Amino acid sequence: MSNPLPGSPFLAYRDAQLHLEQVRLQDLAQQHGTPLFVYSKAAMLAALAAYQRAFQGRRARIHYAMKANSSLGVLQVFAQAGCGFDIVSLGELQRVLAAGGEASKVIFSGVGKSRAEMQQALQAGIACFNVESEPELDVLSSVAVSCGLVAPVSIRVNPNVDPKTHPYISTGLKGNKFGIAHDRTLQAYQHAASLPGLNVVGIDCHIGSQITTSEPYMDALDRVLDLVEHIEAAGIPIHHLDFGGGLGINYNGDTPPAADALWAQLLARLDARGFGDRQIMIEPGRSLVGNAGVCLTEVQFIKPGEQKNFCIVDAAMNDLPRPAMYEAFHQIVPLHTQAGDSVVYDVVGPVCESGDWLGRDRALQVQAGDLLAVLSAGAYCMSMSSNYNTRGRAAEVLVDGASTHVIRQRETVQDQMRGEHLVK
Ligand code: LLP
C-alpha cells in the first residue's frame, strides 16, 4: 500500500484481508467475538528494540510505563525482555509481580501516593520513588523510618517546557499539577538530603505525551542538566537521570522521531555536557504498545440521518475512551476490503451519550455485520476502559507469529456484579 497503516509492517492487508503478523483478524473476531483487542508481540518487541539500540553500550534502563496497557500478558512480554516498569499505584506493582517482573526494577511515579502504597512499595524493594512535592518527601521519609528502611528517591522536576500536545496530556508546564517547580528544585533536594528516611539517587522529568518533535525533549534535557549542575555543586550527587516517556506515535500521518534517532540526539547532548556516564532511565508507554494493538468491532446497524450517516458498531467509549476524552483520532479500516462506493459516516458506539463516537466523517464501504478495526489501540484504550452502561470489558488476544493467546477473557456481568450487595 502506498500509505502504510499505523502498525505496519506487522499490520497489513494480504488478499484483501487484514492480518496482524500471520493471523487473519477476521478469524479472531469470529472465534472470540467483538469488541476484541488484538496485540502483536513482534510489534511491541520491535518498538522496544529501537530504544535498546539507542542505549547499546550505555548504562540505561527502560521502564515500561504500564498505565498505557497494564494487561498481564502485555507486561509479561516486557518483563521477559528485561524491562523495568514505571508504576503509579500499588495495584500496578501487584500486576508487575503477577506478570513475573522484578520489584527491584520498578520506579513509582504519581502526585498522590498514599502511606500504605509507600510502605508496601518500600517493603517490596522498588528501585526508586519519583517524588512530586515537598510534603511527599516528608511523608515518605517518615514511612521509611517507621519500617526501618531507607527510600531511594528522585525528585520530579517540572522544567516548564511546552511539549505542544493536547492540554490534557501536557505535564511539564508551570500550570500543571506535576513535579516541583524549576526554581524550587535545589531547596527540595537539600530538604530530601536532610531527611533520615531518604536516599537521594536521581532526578526525573516527564513533559507530556504524544510528543511528535524532538525540540521539547532537547529543551527539557538542558533544563534538567542545569539543575543537576546546581544540585551537585551543593554537594548532593545525582546518580541517575530519568527523562520520562512521552514519545508520540503515528495515529494519522503523525511523524514523531524514531526512538533511536531521538535518543542519538539526546545522548550526544548528554555527552557534550559531560553527563554521558550517568545511569539513564526512561519511562515510555504509548510508543511501546500503541501501534502494536487494534480493536476489532462489528457493525450493528447503518443509520442514515438528516445531517449525518451513522455507522453503529459494538465497540464504544467505554472500550476506547480516547476520542470522547481528547477528541483523539484513530484510523478505522475494514477487516476485508471490497470494491464499491464508500459513504461518509460517524462511527459511533451503543453507549447512551452523544460523546460516544470513535471516528467522525469516515468514508467507509460497510453494511451491518461487517467487521472493522480501530487502529493504534494498544495504548490507553483497554487500560482506560470502564464498565459504563454495564458493558463488560472486551477480550484481549496476543498474536505471536502464527499463534494466538487469549490474555484476557471477555468480562461477564457476573464479573461486574461481584462484590456488590443488596441491602438485607
Ligand atoms: N511517565 C510518567 C510520569 C507519565 O505521567 C506518563 C504518562 C508516562 C511516563 C508515559 O508516557 P507515554 O510514553 O505513554 O507518552 N491517556 C492519555 C495519555 C496520558 C499520559 C499520562 N502520563 C492518552 O490516551 O493520550
Side-chain angles (χ1 to χ4, degrees):
M1 287 185 73
S2 54
N3 187 11
L5 295 173
S8 66
F10 306 99
L11 183 72
Y13 284 101
R14 285 200 284 278
D15 301 326
Q17 290 276 358
L18 193 61
H19 287 68
L20 192 61
E21 299 194 35
Q22 288 157 44
V23 175
R24 197 163 77 154
L25 289 171
Q26 185 177 301
D27 296 341
L28 286 183
Q30 278 158 359
Q31 203 180 336
H32 301 285
T34 51
L36 181 73
F37 284 95
V38 190
Y39 309 116
S40 156
K41 181 176 176 183
M44 291 184 221
L45 292 178
L48 177 63
Y51 285 102
Q52 288 168 327
R53 274 196 299 280
F55 294 127
Q56 216 156 24
R58 301 268 178 172
R59 285 198 304 132
R61 194 160 67 214
I62 300 163
H63 300 86
Y64 167 52
M66 61 182 282
K67 63 172 79 69
N69 187 322
S70 53
S71 301
L72 293 181
V74 170
L75 301 183
Q76 185 183 22
V77 170
F78 291 111
Q80 285 174 350
C83 288
F85 294 90
D86 171 49
I87 66 165
V88 289
S89 70
L90 190 59
E92 287 196 342
L93 177 59
Q94 285 161 341
R95 281 185 171 274
V96 168
L97 300 177
E102 294 163 53
S104 61
K105 293 185 185 169
V106 164
I107 54 179
F108 195 165
S109 301
V111 294
K113 304 172 191 81
S114 70
R115 283 175 174 266
E117 287 181 315
M118 292 174 181
Q119 183 180 334
Q120 292 191 46
L122 260 172
Q123 286 167 340
I126 68 163
C128 189
F129 289 84
N130 287 1
V131 172
E132 302 229 12
S133 64
E134 286 160 288
E136 186 188 339
L137 289 172
D138 293 320
V139 173
L140 180 59
S141 175
S142 87
V143 171
V145 168
S146 71
C147 324
L149 293 166
V150 174
V153 295
S154 160
I155 294 180
R156 176 167 175 180
V157 298
N158 184 336
N160 195 24
V161 163
D162 185 355
K164 303 200 169 55
T165 184
H166 189 286
Y168 281 14
I169 53 177
S170 302
T171 54
L173 278 166
K174 267 189 188 165
N176 297 131
K177 68 177 176 181
F178 299 101
I180 285 183
H182 197 262
D183 46 15
R184 286 202 57 87
T185 305
L186 180 57
Q187 271 165 285
Y189 269 94
Q190 284 169 326
H191 185 53
S194 75
L195 290 170
L198 305 185
N199 177 27
V200 173
V201 292
I203 191 165
D204 62 286
C205 76
H206 173 81
I207 53 175
S209 199
Q210 186 53 19
I211 301 170
T212 52
T213 58
S214 36
E215 290 76 35
Y217 280 101
M218 296 299 275
D219 293 350
L221 179 109
D222 273 328
R223 302 202 59 153
V224 168
L225 296 184
D226 293 347
L227 287 171
V228 174
E229 282 165 357
H230 280 111
I231 298 161
E232 294 199 325
I236 303 170
I238 301 294
H239 304 288
H240 78 239
L241 312 173
D242 173 353
F243 294 104
L247 183 56
I249 61 169
N250 171 19
Y251 284 101
N252 185 30
D254 307 285
T255 53
D260 43 359
L262 171 71
W263 273 96
Q265 244 182 307
L266 292 167
L267 290 169
R269 181 75 129 251
L270 271 180
D271 289 341
R273 291 196 53 176
F275 290 98
D277 59 339
R278 299 301 163 95
Q279 161 99 27
I280 317 279
M281 320 237 283
I282 55 164
E283 308 161 6
R286 186 192 317 265
S287 53
L288 292 181
V289 289
N291 270 330
V294 296
C295 181
L296 310 186
T297 185
E298 187 186 274
V299 178
Q300 303 299 292
F301 304 106
I302 295 294
K303 182 173 173 182
E306 276 180 30
Q307 293 185 345
K308 291 220 149 197
N309 299 310
F310 294 100
C311 170
I312 303 171
V313 298
D314 64 358
M317 65 189 287
N318 73 298
D319 305 296
L320 291 150
R322 302 191 69 257
M325 274 187 85
Y326 317 112
E327 304 205 327
F329 185 99
H330 287 257
Q331 284 196 34
I332 302 175
V333 300
L335 292 199
H336 181 199
T337 54
Q338 311 166 40
D341 290 338
S342 53
V343 174
V344 174
Y345 296 101
D346 273 11
V347 180
V348 300
V351 161
C352 299
E353 299 244 5
S354 295
D356 180 29
W357 57 275
L358 303 183
R360 288 185 167 146
D361 300 322
R362 303 302 175 87
L364 292 166
Q365 205 257 309
V366 275
Q367 53 192 27
D370 283 356
L371 292 163
L372 301 174
V374 181
L375 306 188
S376 312
Y380 302 112
C381 292
M382 176 52 94
S383 61
M384 291 175 67
S385 67
S386 77
N387 289 128
Y388 189 37
N389 282 204
T390 305
R391 290 170 50 86
R393 282 187 175 74
E396 296 179 298
V397 170
L398 183 76
V399 167
D400 181 8
S403 48
T404 62
H405 307 272
V406 175
I407 57 167
R408 182 194 297 264
Q409 290 171 6
R410 189 170 302 286
E411 197 174 26
T412 64
V413 74
Q414 285 74 26
D415 293 333
Q416 288 186 60
M417 292 192 297
R418 186 177 309 125
E420 292 186 42
H421 302 285
L422 294 173
V423 176
K424 288 194 182 120

